[in-house]
Amino acid sequence: MQVKKVLTYGAVGFVAFFLFTRPGDAANAVKGAMDTVYSAADSLAQFVSHLS
């Protein structure tokens, strides 16, 4: 349980450090993740529409 807590705090600290030191790169990373989610949702919608 203790290791999980340390890893969680470490990850949050890293994200905060990355956000404050390189905000442009952080924004690009979030945009890339959102583009991936959008693409996956679009592919799923196309699959479902082809079923009928």
Side-chain angles (χ1 to χ4, degrees):
M1 186 68 154
Q2 198 69 353
V3 173
K4 183 179 177 182
K5 189 182 288 189
V6 170
L7 291 176
T8 301
Y9 287 141
V12 169
F14 175 74
V15 168
F17 174 76
F18 186 62
L19 181 63
F20 289 120
T21 59
R22 302 185 70 122
D25 291 338
N28 287 337
V30 171
K31 184 179 183 301
M34 293 304 291
D35 286 344
T36 301
V37 170
Y38 176 76
S39 176
D42 187 47
S43 296
L44 182 61
Q46 287 181 10
F47 170 74
V48 171
S49 70
H50 282 90
L51 288 177
S52 56

